[in-house]
Amino acid sequence: MTDTVRHHDAEKPETKKENQPSWLKEGSTDSEEVADFYDTWAETYDEHLKDWDYRAPTYVAELLKQYVSTEQAILDAGCGTGLAGKALHLAGYENISGIDISATSLNKADQLNVYSSLLAHDLQQPLPFHGNNYNALICIGVLTYIENCQSLFKEFCRIVKPGGHIAFSQRSDLFDARNFPDTIATLEQEGVWENIKISSPQAYLPKNKDFSDKVQAIFCICKVV
Ligand SMILES: C[S@@+](CC[C@H](N)C(=O)[O-])C[C@H]1O[C@@H](n2cnc3c(N)ncnc32)[C@H](O)[C@@H]1O
């Protein structure tokens, strides 16, 4: 457990809130550290995200609605406590599965009764699915924690049917820093997917002092070839 995680002290909620953003802003691609962090935060995650006016779940549900009909099977990759699943459910989606590395977050997601299945798994390892049983996949607020997004995107395209859609977000400060335009274009050139849309930067955590209008979210949607 890292020092930052130890600051998640139940007796000091204000201190906890003060200390979380620095880790959040910095991020990590160490899966074990990330799992510890989100396990420790799971109980109060929804409350904090609500305080920070987290907009991504609603945004992605509205985006998906333009391309994916509500009976389609969707995988929420990095579902966490289920905020995006809840938004999809409210938008009418009925066949949603979730996968995440944080078992404690998955327990919270399970309590929502919006997921037909939930699985604990590290997205930095090959995905534990044979065949392409999904019509769509969302990955929201997760890619900060992934070292090799190109490999993960290829895995996403392996498990989503041709013609299906993959929607993901990346922080505006990491989009260019981690070569997302190149990665998206390379996979298009390789005939893996077709890019449908890259959004302008959108409000992400507008009421969090570290993010506010400095770090926004860029949403992309690609169609599997
Ligand atoms: C900011 S939260 C977003 C959760 C959810 N998508 C949402 O919008 O509220 C990031 C999530 O990514 C998950 N995550 C990060 N790295 C992961 C990995 N390597 N494998 C699986 N899940 C991961 C975390 O456990 C956490 O639940």
Side-chain angles (χ1 to χ4, degrees), residues 146-166:
I146 303 298
E147 182 87 42
N148 187 342
C149 288
Q150 187 159 326
S151 294
L152 181 59
F153 289 152
K154 283 188 176 174
E155 276 293 271
F156 287 169
C157 291
R158 179 179 68 74
I159 65 165
V160 173
K161 294 181 199 304
H165 290 81
I166 294 171

Side-chain angles (χ1 to χ4, degrees), residues 23-24 28-32 34-35 37-39 41 45-46 49 54 56-57 60 76-85 99-103 105-106 115 119-125 138-147 152 169 204-205:
W23 190 94
L24 273 189
S28 168
T29 55
D30 177 331
S31 291
E32 203 178 320
V34 170
F37 183 82
Y38 278 98
D39 276 345
W41 193 15
Y45 174 90
D46 290 9
L49 274 276
Y54 183 45
V60 78
D76 183 0
C79 61
T81 59
L83 292 181
I99 185 168
D100 198 282
I101 200 168
S102 163
S105 298
L106 287 169
Y115 292 97
L119 194 62
H121 184 78
D122 181 357
L123 293 172
Q124 303 208 84
Q125 302 297 324
I138 64 166
C139 186
I140 301 303
V142 180
L143 297 174
T144 303
Y145 309 108
I146 303 298
E147 182 87 42
L152 181 59
S169 67
Y204 187 43
L205 297 168

Side-chain angles (χ1 to χ4, degrees), residues 16-35:
K16 179 169 63 180
K17 270 190 196 176
E18 285 306 305
N19 282 298
Q20 274 163 350
S22 56
W23 190 94
L24 273 189
K25 183 91 184 289
E26 203 173 315
S28 168
T29 55
D30 177 331
S31 291
E32 203 178 320
E33 182 184 336
V34 170

Side-chain angles (χ1 to χ4, degrees), residues 101-200:
I101 200 168
S102 163
T104 314
S105 298
L106 287 169
N107 285 338
K108 296 286 289 181
D110 197 26
Q111 290 164 21
L112 297 175
N113 289 320
V114 302
Y115 292 97
S116 32
S117 69
L118 288 163
L119 194 62
H121 184 78
D122 181 357
L123 293 172
Q124 303 208 84
Q125 302 297 324
L127 298 179
F129 306 109
H130 298 294
N132 51 9
N133 293 316
Y134 293 102
N135 303 104
L137 182 151
I138 64 166
C139 186
I140 301 303
V142 180
L143 297 174
T144 303
Y145 309 108
I146 303 298
E147 182 87 42
N148 187 342
C149 288
Q150 187 159 326
S151 294
L152 181 59
F153 289 152
K154 283 188 176 174
E155 276 293 271
F156 287 169
C157 291
R158 179 179 68 74
I159 65 165
V160 173
K161 294 181 199 304
H165 290 81
I166 294 171
F168 58 91
S169 67
Q170 178 56 292
R171 286 165 39 163
S172 54
D173 57 330
L174 300 180
F175 197 79
D176 286 323
R178 298 212 183 155
N179 299 319
F180 267 50
D182 282 352
T183 301
I184 292 166
T186 299
L187 293 181
E188 196 156 41
Q189 282 151 19
E190 289 179 4
V192 175
W193 69 17
E194 176 196 343
N195 179 236
I196 305 288
K197 175 181 170 134
I198 298 177
S199 79
S200 56

